Amino acid sequence: MKYIILFFLVAFSIDLSAQQKQFAKDDNGKFIYYKVVDSQFLNKDTLLQRAKSFVKVAYKKSMKAESITDTSILAKGTMIIDKTILVVGHPSGEVSYNFVFEVRKGKYRFWFTDLLFIPYQRDRYGNFVATTKIGVPLERTPGKLEAGAWKDIVNSTYTKIEKFEEDFKKYLATDRVEKAKKRTETISTKKW
């Protein structure tokens, strides 16, 4: 009897650990990461200004604003997907995405869509560069041989987007004040 209970306990724990977080699909069958956040303490204009600052300052290297209106921001960006074997890691590719942010009174929402993977390879100088400019949609179903690697790419993308969400929510919730640059004092050798 003890062994049967132990068997079911182990089988149940393996089943729970095998569950992965996955992207939802939109109306067109594409992967989407969609969040709605209640923000009663901040007004609409403050949220929009902080979101603009986030796109233009915090993520200026990986994201570029395409259009900004009085209630929304549309940006395009890329994120590098790393492949790690034991301790050593290298980029396996990049995922390009569209980021949309919309704000209303008391709440805001954002989502990632059009996720395209562009694989990397080493060039003759040892640098990792894109093999093509055409991306492969993340929602495609891979063949049996590359299913494991594709699953790792999708999981890594989901993890990076979750990290982005955490940074974005924290940035919008905190008050960021631009630090005034200190004037550098000139050193005078005439005064002691």
Side-chain angles (χ1 to χ4, degrees):
M1 183 67 182
K2 289 190 287 187
Y3 295 113
I4 294 173
I5 293 172
L6 181 64
F7 173 75
F8 283 117
L9 182 64
V10 169
F12 184 71
S13 65
I14 290 173
D15 187 33
L16 287 179
S17 67
Q19 293 177 356
Q20 300 280 332
K21 294 182 180 180
Q22 294 191 359
F23 288 103
K25 291 194 175 187
D26 65 358
D27 298 336
N28 300 328
K30 292 186 175 189
F31 282 161
I32 187 169
Y33 188 86
Y34 181 82
K35 293 291 178 179
V36 177
V37 180
D38 187 29
S39 178
Q40 297 294 331
F41 300 111
L42 298 171
N43 64 8
K44 183 174 110 173
D45 296 330
T46 304
L47 285 172
L48 191 63
Q49 289 299 326
R50 289 182 184 175
K52 283 182 197 175
S53 173
F54 184 80
V55 170
K56 290 184 177 180
V57 176
Y59 272 72
K60 67 180 176 184
K61 291 183 180 178
S62 64
M63 188 183 298
K64 183 181 176 194
E66 294 288 316
S67 69
I68 298 174
T69 64
D70 59 340
T71 60
S72 67
I73 297 173
L74 172 65
K76 291 188 179 209
T78 59
M79 63 181 73
I80 305 296
I81 304 299
D82 296 323
K83 182 176 186 178
T84 305
I85 300 173
L86 296 176
V87 179
V88 180
H90 63 83
S92 64
E94 68 182 33
V95 173
S96 64
Y97 57 86
N98 288 338
F99 173 73
V100 180
F101 171 80
E102 292 180 349
V103 63
R104 287 189 180 171
K105 184 178 179 185
K107 61 183 172 181
Y108 64 90
R109 66 181 181 169
F110 61 93
W111 65 90
F112 290 87
T113 187
D114 297 332
L115 302 168
L116 300 172
F117 177 73
I118 300 171
Y120 279 1
Q121 73 178 12
R122 272 189 205 263
D123 65 357
R124 64 183 179 182
Y125 303 110
N127 301 325
F128 288 95
V129 295
T131 58
T132 181
K133 293 189 184 273
I134 301 170
V136 178
L138 277 186
E139 57 270 358
R140 82 169 175 107
T141 54
K144 289 182 181 180
L145 291 176
E146 58 185 26
W150 193 256
K151 183 179 174 184
D152 292 341
I153 291 167
V154 171
N155 290 338
S156 180
T157 303
Y158 193 89
T159 305
K160 291 230 180 199
I161 290 178
E162 281 184 330
K163 172 76 169 92
F164 179 92
E165 173 195 1
E166 181 183 310
D167 292 345
F168 187 63
K169 285 180 178 178
K170 191 182 297 182
Y171 197 92
L172 292 184
T174 58
D175 188 21
R176 305 252 182 222
V177 178
E178 294 292 324
K179 295 180 182 176
K181 293 183 180 179
K182 291 184 179 179
R183 266 188 15 197
T184 56
E185 295 182 23
T186 57
I187 300 174
S188 175
T189 57
K190 297 176 182 175
K191 291 184 184 176
W192 283 51

